[in-house]
Amino acid sequence: MQKRAARPNGFPRKRFRFHPAQIVAFGFAGTILIGTLLLTLPIAKVGPGGATFMEALFTATSAVCVTGLIIVDTATYWTGFGQVVIMLMIQIGGFGIMTFASVIGLAVLRKLSLRARVTAASEVKSVGLEDVKGLVVGVVRISLIAEGVVAVMLTLRFMIGYEEPLGRAIWLGVFHAISSFNNAGFALFSDNLIGFATDPWICLPICGAVILGGIGFPVIVQLRKHLRSPLKWTMNTRLVLVGTIVLLVAGTVYITALEWSNPKTLGPLDWPDKILVGFFQAVQTRTAGFNSVDNAGLDSATLLGSDVLMFIGGGPAGTAGGIKITTFAVLFFILWAEVRGEVAVNVFGKRLSRAVHREAITVVLLAVFVIMSSTAALMVMTDISLDRLLYETMSAFATVGVSTGITAGLPVAGQVILILLMFIGRLGPVAFASAIALRDRRTAYEFPKERPLIG
């Protein structure tokens, strides 16, 4: 039996173990590196030679982090091989690296080790280790079913409505179904989905997939079990569902109203088409990144409102980005309780833990710091207006992927900033901070309390 190495004082040497957040971060980074190497192969690019390292790295990061920002045209720059690589990276990134690894482990070993369950639980935000296996299997089953249904709908529409050959129609349907459910926003058309802006048979299935993927896998799993029993829904499920409905309605009204007469966006359309496009933009701005109008033509007020929608994002433990609906809701109820002079923060008949207060505040402050510092850095590098730069950095951090068209024109240093933003946004600011921390700090003492003046 092998003995553990001992220290000079006779005590065994403590083995270093990676924090689950570090394992998840290394998993995403490793997947991005593999995707980058594949995209630099000459077979991945149209024409002679291969893609540059920056082109491949940016695209791979955007795909794995299910963002959708691009610096080269997906439809014309990459070959079929390159597009398949992008699609696979979107699927793996949407599953989650540790979730995908757990699926492979279950397929090969028929079980998950304790370490694998702990790591997967940190990624899917599971509250206990006993339900990790079921949640992982549920994530895969739900993803494949949703993507399959949307792929069939889109395939039929491309084949019947646009007379695409069967093989091409299937490829378009599958790619856009995976891209939409995983909230990636990659499209196989040079103008994204502008050519289908008034086609509900294309736009609505994509919106449905985006919303379903964006509410988060724990919510979907619970709705599948207790759809007709709302009393059994957790606080997380209720917050996500209510928040999603409110934000979708508010976003649609806001964008449609502001852009109603804008000749560059909704102005030339009939009123039913204006509502469809307004709804589509509200859905995509929150999580996905497809666009059915030229975002460069949006009014500055629309860009600012879109920034807010992107910042909030979708549900936790799903394919959406942002600080998450639950985080925003917790801050709202903290504010509501403080204004009313209540001691405890109560939501749907339950009291929020004070630890949740701290987590929500931490996430928001870190997110604001990352976004503001990145925007300021880009302002120093370029002469692009603040509203467009903020829109770009918010889109990258929230892994949305919408853009006013400035991504490819940014200097290399600016594109690197966007890469870091997409990576941090996919992991989450707190998880990223935990991943770069050398160790967990636990103090065995407390300082005396004192209260400063606030406000």
Side-chain angles (χ1 to χ4, degrees):
M1 185 175 179
Q2 188 176 3
K3 294 184 179 180
R4 183 184 294 184
R7 294 178 180 177
N9 57 11
F11 292 102
R13 187 181 301 275
K14 187 177 180 180
R15 179 184 295 178
F16 175 78
R17 289 186 180 275
F18 287 106
H19 189 280
Q22 293 174 321
I23 297 177
V24 173
F26 289 143
F28 271 97
T31 306
I32 290 171
L33 178 59
I34 293 173
T36 300
L37 295 177
L38 289 175
L39 290 178
T40 55
L41 297 176
I43 193 177
K45 175 182 172 292
V46 174
T52 66
F53 181 78
M54 178 55 68
E55 291 169 342
L57 175 62
F58 194 98
T59 304
T61 304
S62 185
V64 173
C65 296
V66 291
T67 304
L69 286 175
I70 56 173
I71 57 176
V72 293
D73 183 17
T74 307
T76 59
Y77 191 84
W78 305 109
T79 62
F81 173 82
Q83 293 171 356
V84 169
V85 170
I86 291 172
M87 184 183 69
L88 292 177
M89 286 191 291
I90 291 171
Q91 185 72 85
I92 295 173
F95 277 154
I97 304 303
M98 293 304 107
T99 302
F100 180 75
S102 298
V103 171
I104 301 300
L106 285 172
V108 177
L109 303 176
R110 304 293 180 184
K111 64 179 181 179
L112 287 177
S113 65
L114 177 60
R115 188 68 179 170
R117 281 187 288 164
V118 170
T119 307
S122 69
E123 184 174 64
V124 299
K125 305 295 189 296
S126 176
V127 295
L129 297 183
E130 66 279 353
D131 63 340
V132 170
K133 179 179 178 180
L135 188 55
V136 166
V137 173
V139 166
V140 176
R141 183 181 294 118
I142 290 167
S143 298
L144 295 181
I145 291 175
E147 291 167 357
V149 171
V150 176
V152 170
M153 296 175 67
L154 294 178
T155 297
L156 292 175
R157 183 57 179 167
F158 283 123
M159 186 172 59
I160 298 173
Y162 297 92
E163 299 181 348
E164 293 282 1
L166 178 60
R168 171 70 174 171
I170 292 175
W171 169 235
L172 292 174
V174 171
F175 185 95
H176 291 95
I178 291 176
S179 183
S180 58
F181 181 79
N182 290 287
N183 283 219
F186 279 87
L188 294 180
F189 303 97
S190 296
D191 62 353
N192 204 274
L193 296 181
I194 293 178
F196 309 98
T198 59
D199 187 348
W201 299 102
I202 295 291
C203 293
L204 293 183
I206 286 177
C207 284
V210 169
I211 294 170
L212 187 62
I215 64 176
F217 293 113
V219 175
I220 300 175
V221 170
Q222 186 168 69
L223 290 178
R224 189 182 62 176
K225 293 181 180 178
H226 306 295
L227 180 61
R228 299 182 179 180
S229 304
L231 294 178
K232 295 182 180 180
W233 294 354
T234 62
M235 182 189 296
N236 179 77
T237 297
R238 297 182 184 187
L239 287 175
V240 170
L241 291 180
V242 173
T244 297
I245 294 172
V246 170
L247 291 173
L248 285 177
V249 172
T252 301
V253 172
Y254 182 87
I255 293 174
T256 305
L258 288 180
E259 298 297 321
W260 189 269
S261 301
N262 187 342
K264 298 179 180 179
T265 55
L266 304 188
L269 304 177
D270 296 331
W271 72 264
D273 293 334
K274 290 181 180 182
I275 295 175
L276 174 62
V277 174
F279 173 72
F280 187 87
Q281 288 297 117
V283 172
Q284 308 307 321
T285 300
R286 286 194 50 240
T287 55
F290 291 108
N291 61 286
S292 58
V293 296
D294 184 4
N295 290 328
L298 294 173
D299 186 81
S300 295
T302 305
L303 294 178
L304 182 59
S306 300
D307 291 337
V308 175
L309 292 175
M310 288 190 284
F311 186 72
I312 297 174
T319 58
I323 62 170
K324 305 299 186 295
I325 292 174
T326 46
T327 304
F328 179 79
V330 166
L331 291 180
F332 172 81
F333 283 109
I334 290 175
L335 173 64
W336 183 249
E338 190 66 27
V339 169
R340 298 181 62 182
E342 297 176 350
V343 177
V345 179
N346 301 311
V347 182
F348 298 134
K350 298 290 183 66
R351 181 171 57 86
L352 282 180
S353 167
R354 292 194 177 275
V356 176
H357 302 189
R358 296 194 300 270
E359 291 173 6
I361 294 171
T362 301
V363 167
V364 172
L365 290 180
L366 285 175
V368 170
F369 170 77
V370 170
I371 293 168
M372 291 298 101
S373 58
S374 300
T375 304
L378 291 178
M379 290 180 69
V380 173
M381 298 177 189
T382 68
D383 57 357
I384 301 174
S385 62
L386 172 60
D387 56 351
R388 293 195 173 198
L389 287 178
L390 181 59
Y391 190 76
E392 194 82 7
T393 55
M394 192 72 75
S395 176
F397 173 81
T399 66
V400 177
V402 291
S403 174
T404 56
I406 65 173
T407 314
L410 293 175
V412 173
Q415 293 175 355
V416 170
I417 290 176
L418 295 184
I419 288 174
L420 293 175
L421 282 173
M422 289 188 284
F423 190 77
I424 295 172
R426 186 64 182 97
L427 291 180
V430 173
F432 180 79
S434 299
I436 62 177
L438 295 178
R439 61 185 177 89
D440 293 331
R441 293 193 61 181
R442 292 182 174 85
T443 56
Y445 57 87
E446 290 185 357
F447 290 106
K449 293 181 178 179
E450 186 174 350
R451 179 172 179 172
L453 297 177
I454 300 296

